[in-house]
Amino acid sequence: MNGNWHSHWRHVFKLDPERDISDEALEAVCLSGTDAIIVGGSSGVTFENTVELMSRIRRYEVDCALEVSTLDGAVPGFDGYFVPLVLNTDRAEWILGHQLEGLREYGSFVPWEETAAQGYIILNGEATAAKLTGAKTALTEEELVACVRMADRLMRLPVVYLEYSGRFGEMAMLRAAKRAVNGAQLFYGGGIDSPEKAAEAAALAQTVVVGNVLYVDLVAALATVGAVKKVDGINRL
Ligand code: 1GP
């Protein structure tokens, strides 16, 4: 992989190291045709459970990246690393604080070519990540666009991530983000539990992230892969 290691991803499964997944389910996920697996979670992420999940995914060829949200869970050996910066919070530790701490400790080991910052905009107030970071989730479209421009134009972050984790978000907000984004890759995640929702999000976001449904309805989760690829097929006609 090179500096653009994530730019071709259209569909991604996000796996939580704290949650159990059987070998059979993991195999189905890794062989599903998804473009990548992201390992990440908002709570309970440790070195041990991250290494364990990574080594199980490593049996397959699929790209596998780590979203580094705690220092404990910073594990070498992934194909790529994402470092989230939460843009819609007043709590500086979630914008730059923990990240600086990480760089102080592990800065000389960071594989820079395979590391990308994500401008996170958390829009579901019920999500663990929102509570943890004190995100101001009730944004107007205008406020959202300002966040997107901050990430994309001013900070020139490679990824802008609209995060509705746990619920399917407003597509009008995603559309507004899509219009505002210039160079960044737009990720959408949250509440995708059917091919229809996957297709809706994939029509607007460059990369669609599917998480929770994997643990509750594997068949529906797997069907989201084909739905995203189909959107591209239709657009090419
Ligand atoms: C979570 O954006 C991802 O970080 C996916 O959200 O778990 O709701 O699918 P869900």
Side-chain angles (χ1 to χ4, degrees), residues 87 121 140-157 159-160 162 171-186 204-206:
L87 300 176
I121 307 168
T140 62
E141 237 178 76
E142 237 175 14
E143 289 166 335
L144 170 70
V145 166
C147 281
V148 170
R149 290 188 173 135
M150 169 63 76
D152 176 64
R153 301 279 188 159
L154 266 184
M155 298 169 87
R156 294 181 186 261
L157 303 181
V159 172
V160 172
L162 246 65
M171 291 298 103
M173 293 292 262
L174 183 55
R175 191 169 294 111
K178 177 191 161 75
R179 271 196 223 112
V181 101
N182 183 45
Q185 185 172 344
L186 182 59
L204 298 168
Q206 241 169 299

PDB file of all heavy atoms in Angstrom, residues 87 121 140-157 159-160 162 171-186 204-206:
ATOM      1  N   LEU A  87     -13.888  17.138  15.485  1.00  0.00           N
ATOM      2  CA  LEU A  87     -13.943  18.568  15.144  1.00  0.00           C
ATOM      3  C   LEU A  87     -15.069  19.308  15.837  1.00  0.00           C
ATOM      4  O   LEU A  87     -14.998  20.515  16.017  1.00  0.00           O
ATOM      5  CB  LEU A  87     -14.076  18.726  13.633  1.00  0.00           C
ATOM      6  CG  LEU A  87     -12.910  18.116  12.857  1.00  0.00           C
ATOM      7  CD1 LEU A  87     -13.157  18.220  11.372  1.00  0.00           C
ATOM      8  CD2 LEU A  87     -11.600  18.788  13.235  1.00  0.00           C
ATOM      9  N   ILE A 121     -16.688  14.093  12.554  1.00  0.00           N
ATOM     10  CA  ILE A 121     -17.815  14.944  12.939  1.00  0.00           C
ATOM     11  C   ILE A 121     -18.892  13.980  13.456  1.00  0.00           C
ATOM     12  O   ILE A 121     -19.452  13.194  12.685  1.00  0.00           O
ATOM     13  CB  ILE A 121     -18.315  15.774  11.737  1.00  0.00           C
ATOM     14  CG1 ILE A 121     -17.145  16.546  11.106  1.00  0.00           C
ATOM     15  CG2 ILE A 121     -19.419  16.740  12.190  1.00  0.00           C
ATOM     16  CD1 ILE A 121     -17.450  17.163   9.756  1.00  0.00           C
ATOM     17  N   THR A 140     -26.425  22.430  12.780  1.00  0.00           N
ATOM     18  CA  THR A 140     -27.216  22.791  11.608  1.00  0.00           C
ATOM     19  C   THR A 140     -26.376  22.441  10.388  1.00  0.00           C
ATOM     20  O   THR A 140     -25.171  22.179  10.505  1.00  0.00           O
ATOM     21  CB  THR A 140     -27.498  24.304  11.576  1.00  0.00           C
ATOM     22  OG1 THR A 140     -26.214  24.973  11.475  1.00  0.00           O
ATOM     23  CG2 THR A 140     -28.217  24.768  12.836  1.00  0.00           C
ATOM     24  N   GLU A 141     -27.009  22.481   9.226  1.00  0.00           N
ATOM     25  CA  GLU A 141     -26.279  22.190   7.989  1.00  0.00           C
ATOM     26  C   GLU A 141     -25.106  23.160   7.805  1.00  0.00           C
ATOM     27  O   GLU A 141     -24.018  22.770   7.399  1.00  0.00           O
ATOM     28  CB  GLU A 141     -27.242  22.310   6.810  1.00  0.00           C
ATOM     29  CG  GLU A 141     -27.308  21.025   6.011  1.00  0.00           C
ATOM     30  CD  GLU A 141     -28.295  21.115   4.871  1.00  0.00           C
ATOM     31  OE1 GLU A 141     -27.985  21.751   3.833  1.00  0.00           O
ATOM     32  OE2 GLU A 141     -29.382  20.545   5.042  1.00  0.00           O
ATOM     33  N   GLU A 142     -25.389  24.428   8.165  1.00  0.00           N
ATOM     34  CA  GLU A 142     -24.350  25.460   8.039  1.00  0.00           C
ATOM     35  C   GLU A 142     -23.136  25.142   8.928  1.00  0.00           C
ATOM     36  O   GLU A 142     -21.989  25.289   8.519  1.00  0.00           O
ATOM     37  CB  GLU A 142     -24.936  26.785   8.509  1.00  0.00           C
ATOM     38  CG  GLU A 142     -24.865  27.865   7.491  1.00  0.00           C
ATOM     39  CD  GLU A 142     -25.568  29.116   7.998  1.00  0.00           C
ATOM     40  OE1 GLU A 142     -25.876  29.225   9.210  1.00  0.00           O
ATOM     41  OE2 GLU A 142     -25.802  29.984   7.154  1.00  0.00           O
ATOM     42  N   GLU A 143     -23.448  24.744  10.163  1.00  0.00           N
ATOM     43  CA  GLU A 143     -22.373  24.417  11.107  1.00  0.00           C
ATOM     44  C   GLU A 143     -21.590  23.199  10.641  1.00  0.00           C
ATOM     45  O   GLU A 143     -20.370  23.131  10.770  1.00  0.00           O
ATOM     46  CB  GLU A 143     -22.954  24.175  12.513  1.00  0.00           C
ATOM     47  CG  GLU A 143     -23.440  25.449  13.169  1.00  0.00           C
ATOM     48  CD  GLU A 143     -24.314  25.210  14.393  1.00  0.00           C
ATOM     49  OE1 GLU A 143     -24.932  24.131  14.500  1.00  0.00           O
ATOM     50  OE2 GLU A 143     -24.397  26.119  15.237  1.00  0.00           O
ATOM     51  N   LEU A 144     -22.316  22.236  10.089  1.00  0.00           N
ATOM     52  CA  LEU A 144     -21.659  21.044   9.565  1.00  0.00           C
ATOM     53  C   LEU A 144     -20.708  21.422   8.427  1.00  0.00           C
ATOM     54  O   LEU A 144     -19.555  20.990   8.385  1.00  0.00           O
ATOM     55  CB  LEU A 144     -22.708  20.045   9.054  1.00  0.00           C
ATOM     56  CG  LEU A 144     -22.129  18.881   8.264  1.00  0.00           C
ATOM     57  CD1 LEU A 144     -21.359  17.933   9.173  1.00  0.00           C
ATOM     58  CD2 LEU A 144     -23.214  18.118   7.518  1.00  0.00           C
ATOM     59  N   VAL A 145     -21.199  22.250   7.538  1.00  0.00           N
ATOM     60  CA  VAL A 145     -20.376  22.656   6.392  1.00  0.00           C
ATOM     61  C   VAL A 145     -19.115  23.381   6.880  1.00  0.00           C
ATOM     62  O   VAL A 145     -18.020  23.189   6.336  1.00  0.00           O
ATOM     63  CB  VAL A 145     -21.208  23.518   5.404  1.00  0.00           C
ATOM     64  CG1 VAL A 145     -20.319  24.230   4.400  1.00  0.00           C
ATOM     65  CG2 VAL A 145     -22.220  22.628   4.691  1.00  0.00           C
ATOM     66  N   ALA A 146     -19.247  24.172   7.943  1.00  0.00           N
ATOM     67  CA  ALA A 146     -18.072  24.853   8.499  1.00  0.00           C
ATOM     68  C   ALA A 146     -17.057  23.822   9.005  1.00  0.00           C
ATOM     69  O   ALA A 146     -15.850  23.960   8.772  1.00  0.00           O
ATOM     70  CB  ALA A 146     -18.489  25.799   9.625  1.00  0.00           C
ATOM     71  N   CYS A 147     -17.563  22.776   9.674  1.00  0.00           N
ATOM     72  CA  CYS A 147     -16.665  21.706  10.159  1.00  0.00           C
ATOM     73  C   CYS A 147     -15.977  21.010   8.983  1.00  0.00           C
ATOM     74  O   CYS A 147     -14.784  20.714   9.036  1.00  0.00           O
ATOM     75  CB  CYS A 147     -17.448  20.641  10.927  1.00  0.00           C
ATOM     76  SG  CYS A 147     -17.865  21.099  12.590  1.00  0.00           S
ATOM     77  N   VAL A 148     -16.755  20.742   7.956  1.00  0.00           N
ATOM     78  CA  VAL A 148     -16.187  20.055   6.787  1.00  0.00           C
ATOM     79  C   VAL A 148     -15.096  20.923   6.157  1.00  0.00           C
ATOM     80  O   VAL A 148     -14.012  20.445   5.827  1.00  0.00           O
ATOM     81  CB  VAL A 148     -17.293  19.739   5.747  1.00  0.00           C
ATOM     82  CG1 VAL A 148     -16.684  19.249   4.434  1.00  0.00           C
ATOM     83  CG2 VAL A 148     -18.261  18.700   6.305  1.00  0.00           C
ATOM     84  N   ARG A 149     -15.385  22.223   6.040  1.00  0.00           N
ATOM     85  CA  ARG A 149     -14.380  23.111   5.425  1.00  0.00           C
ATOM     86  C   ARG A 149     -13.133  23.231   6.293  1.00  0.00           C
ATOM     87  O   ARG A 149     -12.013  23.335   5.788  1.00  0.00           O
ATOM     88  CB  ARG A 149     -14.982  24.494   5.158  1.00  0.00           C
ATOM     89  CG  ARG A 149     -15.998  24.422   4.040  1.00  0.00           C
ATOM     90  CD  ARG A 149     -16.477  25.790   3.609  1.00  0.00           C
ATOM     91  NE  ARG A 149     -17.316  25.666   2.435  1.00  0.00           N
ATOM     92  CZ  ARG A 149     -18.478  26.286   2.261  1.00  0.00           C
ATOM     93  NH1 ARG A 149     -18.932  27.107   3.199  1.00  0.00           N
ATOM     94  NH2 ARG A 149     -19.163  26.110   1.170  1.00  0.00           N
ATOM     95  N   MET A 150     -13.348  23.223   7.596  1.00  0.00           N
ATOM     96  CA  MET A 150     -12.204  23.257   8.521  1.00  0.00           C
ATOM     97  C   MET A 150     -11.303  22.052   8.253  1.00  0.00           C
ATOM     98  O   MET A 150     -10.086  22.178   8.087  1.00  0.00           O
ATOM     99  CB  MET A 150     -12.725  23.233   9.964  1.00  0.00           C
ATOM    100  CG  MET A 150     -11.674  23.011  11.014  1.00  0.00           C
ATOM    101  SD  MET A 150     -10.445  24.322  11.075  1.00  0.00           S
ATOM    102  CE  MET A 150     -11.365  25.598  11.912  1.00  0.00           C
ATOM    103  N   ALA A 151     -11.913  20.874   8.181  1.00  0.00           N
ATOM    104  CA  ALA A 151     -11.138  19.645   7.990  1.00  0.00           C
ATOM    105  C   ALA A 151     -10.505  19.597   6.604  1.00  0.00           C
ATOM    106  O   ALA A 151      -9.314  19.316   6.453  1.00  0.00           O
ATOM    107  CB  ALA A 151     -12.052  18.434   8.171  1.00  0.00           C
ATOM    108  N   ASP A 152     -11.331  19.877   5.622  1.00  0.00           N
ATOM    109  CA  ASP A 152     -10.951  19.629   4.238  1.00  0.00           C
ATOM    110  C   ASP A 152     -10.077  20.745   3.657  1.00  0.00           C
ATOM    111  O   ASP A 152      -9.035  20.486   3.061  1.00  0.00           O
ATOM    112  CB  ASP A 152     -12.261  19.495   3.449  1.00  0.00           C
ATOM    113  CG  ASP A 152     -12.057  19.339   1.973  1.00  0.00           C
ATOM    114  OD1 ASP A 152     -11.476  18.325   1.576  1.00  0.00           O
ATOM    115  OD2 ASP A 152     -12.468  20.242   1.216  1.00  0.00           O
ATOM    116  N   ARG A 153     -10.494  21.987   3.888  1.00  0.00           N
ATOM    117  CA  ARG A 153      -9.790  23.109   3.236  1.00  0.00           C
ATOM    118  C   ARG A 153      -8.663  23.661   4.112  1.00  0.00           C
ATOM    119  O   ARG A 153      -7.559  23.864   3.640  1.00  0.00           O
ATOM    120  CB  ARG A 153     -10.782  24.238   2.938  1.00  0.00           C
ATOM    121  CG  ARG A 153     -11.929  23.833   2.057  1.00  0.00           C
ATOM    122  CD  ARG A 153     -11.494  23.845   0.609  1.00  0.00           C
ATOM    123  NE  ARG A 153     -12.647  23.641  -0.256  1.00  0.00           N
ATOM    124  CZ  ARG A 153     -12.673  23.999  -1.532  1.00  0.00           C
ATOM    125  NH1 ARG A 153     -11.635  24.582  -2.090  1.00  0.00           N
ATOM    126  NH2 ARG A 153     -13.733  23.757  -2.254  1.00  0.00           N
ATOM    127  N   LEU A 154      -9.010  23.940   5.392  1.00  0.00           N
ATOM    128  CA  LEU A 154      -7.995  24.580   6.232  1.00  0.00           C
ATOM    129  C   LEU A 154      -6.951  23.586   6.727  1.00  0.00           C
ATOM    130  O   LEU A 154      -5.756  23.803   6.604  1.00  0.00           O
ATOM    131  CB  LEU A 154      -8.663  25.237   7.444  1.00  0.00           C
ATOM    132  CG  LEU A 154      -9.017  26.708   7.333  1.00  0.00           C
ATOM    133  CD1 LEU A 154      -9.571  27.207   8.657  1.00  0.00           C
ATOM    134  CD2 LEU A 154      -7.793  27.538   6.936  1.00  0.00           C
ATOM    135  N   MET A 155      -7.445  22.478   7.285  1.00  0.00           N
ATOM    136  CA  MET A 155      -6.497  21.518   7.860  1.00  0.00           C
ATOM    137  C   MET A 155      -5.991  20.525   6.821  1.00  0.00           C
ATOM    138  O   MET A 155      -5.020  19.823   7.061  1.00  0.00           O
ATOM    139  CB  MET A 155      -7.164  20.777   9.035  1.00  0.00           C
ATOM    140  CG  MET A 155      -7.570  21.701  10.170  1.00  0.00           C
ATOM    141  SD  MET A 155      -8.632  20.880  11.397  1.00  0.00           S
ATOM    142  CE  MET A 155      -7.398  20.167  12.477  1.00  0.00           C
ATOM    143  N   ARG A 156      -6.661  20.474   5.700  1.00  0.00           N
ATOM    144  CA  ARG A 156      -6.305  19.550   4.599  1.00  0.00           C
ATOM    145  C   ARG A 156      -6.160  18.107   5.069  1.00  0.00           C
ATOM    146  O   ARG A 156      -5.184  17.418   4.736  1.00  0.00           O
ATOM    147  CB  ARG A 156      -5.032  20.017   3.892  1.00  0.00           C
ATOM    148  CG  ARG A 156      -5.229  21.331   3.176  1.00  0.00           C
ATOM    149  CD  ARG A 156      -3.975  21.760   2.455  1.00  0.00           C
ATOM    150  NE  ARG A 156      -4.151  23.088   1.895  1.00  0.00           N
ATOM    151  CZ  ARG A 156      -4.463  23.334   0.638  1.00  0.00           C
ATOM    152  NH1 ARG A 156      -4.649  22.348  -0.199  1.00  0.00           N
ATOM    153  NH2 ARG A 156      -4.603  24.576   0.212  1.00  0.00           N
ATOM    154  N   LEU A 157      -7.115  17.692   5.871  1.00  0.00           N
ATOM    155  CA  LEU A 157      -7.091  16.309   6.335  1.00  0.00           C
ATOM    156  C   LEU A 157      -7.494  15.388   5.181  1.00  0.00           C
ATOM    157  O   LEU A 157      -8.331  15.751   4.359  1.00  0.00           O
ATOM    158  CB  LEU A 157      -8.056  16.120   7.513  1.00  0.00           C
ATOM    159  CG  LEU A 157      -7.822  17.013   8.730  1.00  0.00           C
ATOM    160  CD1 LEU A 157      -8.840  16.687   9.829  1.00  0.00           C
ATOM    161  CD2 LEU A 157      -6.408  16.829   9.266  1.00  0.00           C
ATOM    162  N   VAL A 159      -9.179  12.637   5.309  1.00  0.00           N
ATOM    163  CA  VAL A 159     -10.487  11.995   5.479  1.00  0.00           C
ATOM    164  C   VAL A 159     -11.405  12.877   6.319  1.00  0.00           C
ATOM    165  O   VAL A 159     -10.986  13.414   7.350  1.00  0.00           O
ATOM    166  CB  VAL A 159     -10.326  10.627   6.199  1.00  0.00           C
ATOM    167  CG1 VAL A 159     -11.686  10.027   6.554  1.00  0.00           C
ATOM    168  CG2 VAL A 159      -9.510   9.648   5.352  1.00  0.00           C
ATOM    169  N   VAL A 160     -12.650  13.036   5.865  1.00  0.00           N
ATOM    170  CA  VAL A 160     -13.696  13.637   6.693  1.00  0.00           C
ATOM    171  C   VAL A 160     -14.707  12.526   6.962  1.00  0.00           C
ATOM    172  O   VAL A 160     -15.154  11.857   6.035  1.00  0.00           O
ATOM    173  CB  VAL A 160     -14.390  14.810   5.963  1.00  0.00           C
ATOM    174  CG1 VAL A 160     -15.606  15.287   6.751  1.00  0.00           C
ATOM    175  CG2 VAL A 160     -13.425  15.963   5.765  1.00  0.00           C
ATOM    176  N   LEU A 162     -18.262  11.479   8.643  1.00  0.00           N
ATOM    177  CA  LEU A 162     -19.554  11.780   9.268  1.00  0.00           C
ATOM    178  C   LEU A 162     -19.984  10.563  10.063  1.00  0.00           C
ATOM    179  O   LEU A 162     -20.291   9.525   9.478  1.00  0.00           O
ATOM    180  CB  LEU A 162     -20.600  12.098   8.192  1.00  0.00           C
ATOM    181  CG  LEU A 162     -21.108  13.527   8.205  1.00  0.00           C
ATOM    182  CD1 LEU A 162     -19.955  14.459   7.868  1.00  0.00           C
ATOM    183  CD2 LEU A 162     -22.239  13.733   7.245  1.00  0.00           C
ATOM    184  N   MET A 171     -29.647  11.982   5.494  1.00  0.00           N
ATOM    185  CA  MET A 171     -28.927  12.018   4.223  1.00  0.00           C
ATOM    186  C   MET A 171     -28.760  13.448   3.709  1.00  0.00           C
ATOM    187  O   MET A 171     -27.846  13.731   2.934  1.00  0.00           O
ATOM    188  CB  MET A 171     -29.623  11.116   3.191  1.00  0.00           C
ATOM    189  CG  MET A 171     -29.514   9.624   3.515  1.00  0.00           C
ATOM    190  SD  MET A 171     -27.794   8.981   3.552  1.00  0.00           S
ATOM    191  CE  MET A 171     -27.460   8.847   5.299  1.00  0.00           C
ATOM    192  N   ALA A 172     -29.629  14.353   4.174  1.00  0.00           N
ATOM    193  CA  ALA A 172     -29.475  15.764   3.777  1.00  0.00           C
ATOM    194  C   ALA A 172     -28.156  16.317   4.324  1.00  0.00           C
ATOM    195  O   ALA A 172     -27.481  17.117   3.657  1.00  0.00           O
ATOM    196  CB  ALA A 172     -30.650  16.581   4.295  1.00  0.00           C
ATOM    197  N   MET A 173     -27.788  15.877   5.516  1.00  0.00           N
ATOM    198  CA  MET A 173     -26.521  16.325   6.111  1.00  0.00           C
ATOM    199  C   MET A 173     -25.356  15.735   5.316  1.00  0.00           C
ATOM    200  O   MET A 173     -24.367  16.424   5.019  1.00  0.00           O
ATOM    201  CB  MET A 173     -26.426  15.899   7.577  1.00  0.00           C
ATOM    202  CG  MET A 173     -27.415  16.578   8.490  1.00  0.00           C
ATOM    203  SD  MET A 173     -27.066  18.346   8.678  1.00  0.00           S
ATOM    204  CE  MET A 173     -26.166  18.336  10.230  1.00  0.00           C
ATOM    205  N   LEU A 174     -25.481  14.479   4.960  1.00  0.00           N
ATOM    206  CA  LEU A 174     -24.413  13.848   4.183  1.00  0.00           C
ATOM    207  C   LEU A 174     -24.271  14.530   2.818  1.00  0.00           C
ATOM    208  O   LEU A 174     -23.158  14.761   2.335  1.00  0.00           O
ATOM    209  CB  LEU A 174     -24.710  12.341   4.029  1.00  0.00           C
ATOM    210  CG  LEU A 174     -23.661  11.499   3.311  1.00  0.00           C
ATOM    211  CD1 LEU A 174     -22.278  11.629   3.932  1.00  0.00           C
ATOM    212  CD2 LEU A 174     -24.082  10.019   3.271  1.00  0.00           C
ATOM    213  N   ARG A 175     -25.418  14.878   2.244  1.00  0.00           N
ATOM    214  CA  ARG A 175     -25.394  15.568   0.945  1.00  0.00           C
ATOM    215  C   ARG A 175     -24.694  16.923   1.084  1.00  0.00           C
ATOM    216  O   ARG A 175     -23.880  17.311   0.238  1.00  0.00           O
ATOM    217  CB  ARG A 175     -26.829  15.746   0.431  1.00  0.00           C
ATOM    218  CG  ARG A 175     -26.888  16.214  -1.014  1.00  0.00           C
ATOM    219  CD  ARG A 175     -28.292  16.145  -1.598  1.00  0.00           C
ATOM    220  NE  ARG A 175     -28.775  14.780  -1.712  1.00  0.00           N
ATOM    221  CZ  ARG A 175     -29.758  14.250  -0.980  1.00  0.00           C
ATOM    222  NH1 ARG A 175     -30.379  14.990  -0.081  1.00  0.00           N
ATOM    223  NH2 ARG A 175     -30.117  13.000  -1.132  1.00  0.00           N
ATOM    224  N   ALA A 176     -24.983  17.636   2.162  1.00  0.00           N
ATOM    225  CA  ALA A 176     -24.356  18.948   2.393  1.00  0.00           C
ATOM    226  C   ALA A 176     -22.841  18.785   2.558  1.00  0.00           C
ATOM    227  O   ALA A 176     -22.053  19.584   2.035  1.00  0.00           O
ATOM    228  CB  ALA A 176     -24.957  19.604   3.632  1.00  0.00           C
ATOM    229  N   ALA A 177     -22.445  17.724   3.255  1.00  0.00           N
ATOM    230  CA  ALA A 177     -21.008  17.471   3.438  1.00  0.00           C
ATOM    231  C   ALA A 177     -20.365  17.153   2.094  1.00  0.00           C
ATOM    232  O   ALA A 177     -19.278  17.633   1.774  1.00  0.00           O
ATOM    233  CB  ALA A 177     -20.807  16.314   4.413  1.00  0.00           C
ATOM    234  N   LYS A 178     -21.051  16.352   1.310  1.00  0.00           N
ATOM    235  CA  LYS A 178     -20.508  15.968  -0.003  1.00  0.00           C
ATOM    236  C   LYS A 178     -20.281  17.215  -0.872  1.00  0.00           C
ATOM    237  O   LYS A 178     -19.260  17.350  -1.535  1.00  0.00           O
ATOM    238  CB  LYS A 178     -21.482  15.011  -0.702  1.00  0.00           C
ATOM    239  CG  LYS A 178     -21.053  14.593  -2.104  1.00  0.00           C
ATOM    240  CD  LYS A 178     -22.203  13.873  -2.809  1.00  0.00           C
ATOM    241  CE  LYS A 178     -22.070  13.809  -4.295  1.00  0.00           C
ATOM    242  NZ  LYS A 178     -21.099  12.867  -4.802  1.00  0.00           N
ATOM    243  N   ARG A 179     -21.255  18.132  -0.808  1.00  0.00           N
ATOM    244  CA  ARG A 179     -21.130  19.353  -1.615  1.00  0.00           C
ATOM    245  C   ARG A 179     -19.952  20.205  -1.153  1.00  0.00           C
ATOM    246  O   ARG A 179     -19.290  20.855  -1.950  1.00  0.00           O
ATOM    247  CB  ARG A 179     -22.414  20.182  -1.522  1.00  0.00           C
ATOM    248  CG  ARG A 179     -23.415  19.796  -2.563  1.00  0.00           C
ATOM    249  CD  ARG A 179     -24.496  20.867  -2.706  1.00  0.00           C
ATOM    250  NE  ARG A 179     -25.785  20.202  -2.808  1.00  0.00           N
ATOM    251  CZ  ARG A 179     -26.733  20.254  -1.885  1.00  0.00           C
ATOM    252  NH1 ARG A 179     -26.584  20.980  -0.799  1.00  0.00           N
ATOM    253  NH2 ARG A 179     -27.849  19.603  -2.054  1.00  0.00           N
ATOM    254  N   ALA A 180     -19.709  20.199   0.150  1.00  0.00           N
ATOM    255  CA  ALA A 180     -18.680  21.091   0.708  1.00  0.00           C
ATOM    256  C   ALA A 180     -17.268  20.516   0.566  1.00  0.00           C
ATOM    257  O   ALA A 180     -16.289  21.262   0.559  1.00  0.00           O
ATOM    258  CB  ALA A 180     -18.972  21.349   2.188  1.00  0.00           C
ATOM    259  N   VAL A 181     -17.186  19.199   0.463  1.00  0.00           N
ATOM    260  CA  VAL A 181     -15.877  18.576   0.487  1.00  0.00           C
ATOM    261  C   VAL A 181     -15.150  18.785  -0.852  1.00  0.00           C
ATOM    262  O   VAL A 181     -15.770  18.800  -1.909  1.00  0.00           O
ATOM    263  CB  VAL A 181     -16.057  17.068   0.845  1.00  0.00           C
ATOM    264  CG1 VAL A 181     -15.973  16.184  -0.362  1.00  0.00           C
ATOM    265  CG2 VAL A 181     -15.124  16.641   1.935  1.00  0.00           C
ATOM    266  N   ASN A 182     -13.843  18.984  -0.757  1.00  0.00           N
ATOM    267  CA  ASN A 182     -13.088  19.224  -1.989  1.00  0.00           C
ATOM    268  C   ASN A 182     -12.068  18.118  -2.218  1.00  0.00           C
ATOM    269  O   ASN A 182     -12.213  17.288  -3.102  1.00  0.00           O
ATOM    270  CB  ASN A 182     -12.430  20.600  -1.896  1.00  0.00           C
ATOM    271  CG  ASN A 182     -11.683  20.966  -3.150  1.00  0.00           C
ATOM    272  OD1 ASN A 182     -12.191  20.782  -4.241  1.00  0.00           O
ATOM    273  ND2 ASN A 182     -10.460  21.458  -2.986  1.00  0.00           N
ATOM    274  N   GLY A 183     -11.047  18.072  -1.367  1.00  0.00           N
ATOM    275  CA  GLY A 183      -9.997  17.073  -1.594  1.00  0.00           C
ATOM    276  C   GLY A 183     -10.091  15.855  -0.694  1.00  0.00           C
ATOM    277  O   GLY A 183      -9.555  14.797  -1.007  1.00  0.00           O
ATOM    278  N   ALA A 184     -10.788  15.976   0.431  1.00  0.00           N
ATOM    279  CA  ALA A 184     -10.803  14.872   1.406  1.00  0.00           C
ATOM    280  C   ALA A 184     -11.707  13.741   0.929  1.00  0.00           C
ATOM    281  O   ALA A 184     -12.615  13.945   0.121  1.00  0.00           O
ATOM    282  CB  ALA A 184     -11.281  15.375   2.761  1.00  0.00           C
ATOM    283  N   GLN A 185     -11.434  12.566   1.464  1.00  0.00           N
ATOM    284  CA  GLN A 185     -12.278  11.404   1.194  1.00  0.00           C
ATOM    285  C   GLN A 185     -13.399  11.403   2.236  1.00  0.00           C
ATOM    286  O   GLN A 185     -13.123  11.425   3.438  1.00  0.00           O
ATOM    287  CB  GLN A 185     -11.404  10.157   1.332  1.00  0.00           C
ATOM    288  CG  GLN A 185     -12.073   8.857   0.964  1.00  0.00           C
ATOM    289  CD  GLN A 185     -11.042   7.713   0.961  1.00  0.00           C
ATOM    290  OE1 GLN A 185      -9.833   7.951   0.939  1.00  0.00           O
ATOM    291  NE2 GLN A 185     -11.512   6.492   0.988  1.00  0.00           N
ATOM    292  N   LEU A 186     -14.637  11.380   1.767  1.00  0.00           N
ATOM    293  CA  LEU A 186     -15.772  11.481   2.694  1.00  0.00           C
ATOM    294  C   LEU A 186     -16.222  10.087   3.143  1.00  0.00           C
ATOM    295  O   LEU A 186     -16.665   9.278   2.326  1.00  0.00           O
ATOM    296  CB  LEU A 186     -16.924  12.228   2.009  1.00  0.00           C
ATOM    297  CG  LEU A 186     -18.180  12.478   2.833  1.00  0.00           C
ATOM    298  CD1 LEU A 186     -17.881  13.300   4.087  1.00  0.00           C
ATOM    299  CD2 LEU A 186     -19.252  13.182   1.974  1.00  0.00           C
ATOM    300  N   LEU A 204     -23.718   9.056  -1.802  1.00  0.00           N
ATOM    301  CA  LEU A 204     -23.236  10.374  -1.377  1.00  0.00           C
ATOM    302  C   LEU A 204     -21.814  10.338  -0.808  1.00  0.00           C
ATOM    303  O   LEU A 204     -21.033  11.262  -1.038  1.00  0.00           O
ATOM    304  CB  LEU A 204     -24.199  10.946  -0.322  1.00  0.00           C
ATOM    305  CG  LEU A 204     -25.633  11.181  -0.810  1.00  0.00           C
ATOM    306  CD1 LEU A 204     -26.562  11.451   0.362  1.00  0.00           C
ATOM    307  CD2 LEU A 204     -25.680  12.345  -1.797  1.00  0.00           C
ATOM    308  N   ALA A 205     -21.507   9.288  -0.072  1.00  0.00           N
ATOM    309  CA  ALA A 205     -20.176   9.209   0.549  1.00  0.00           C
ATOM    310  C   ALA A 205     -19.257   8.395  -0.344  1.00  0.00           C
ATOM    311  O   ALA A 205     -19.705   7.514  -1.073  1.00  0.00           O
ATOM    312  CB  ALA A 205     -20.277   8.539   1.915  1.00  0.00           C
ATOM    313  N   GLN A 206     -17.969   8.691  -0.237  1.00  0.00           N
ATOM    314  CA  GLN A 206     -17.001   7.912  -1.016  1.00  0.00           C
ATOM    315  C   GLN A 206     -16.786   6.546  -0.372  1.00  0.00           C
ATOM    316  O   GLN A 206     -16.553   5.563  -1.041  1.00  0.00           O
ATOM    317  CB  GLN A 206     -15.670   8.654  -1.017  1.00  0.00           C
ATOM    318  CG  GLN A 206     -15.200   9.054  -2.390  1.00  0.00           C
ATOM    319  CD  GLN A 206     -14.040  10.014  -2.234  1.00  0.00           C
ATOM    320  OE1 GLN A 206     -14.189  11.087  -1.660  1.00  0.00           O
ATOM    321  NE2 GLN A 206     -12.888   9.624  -2.726  1.00  0.00           N
TER     322      GLN A 206
END
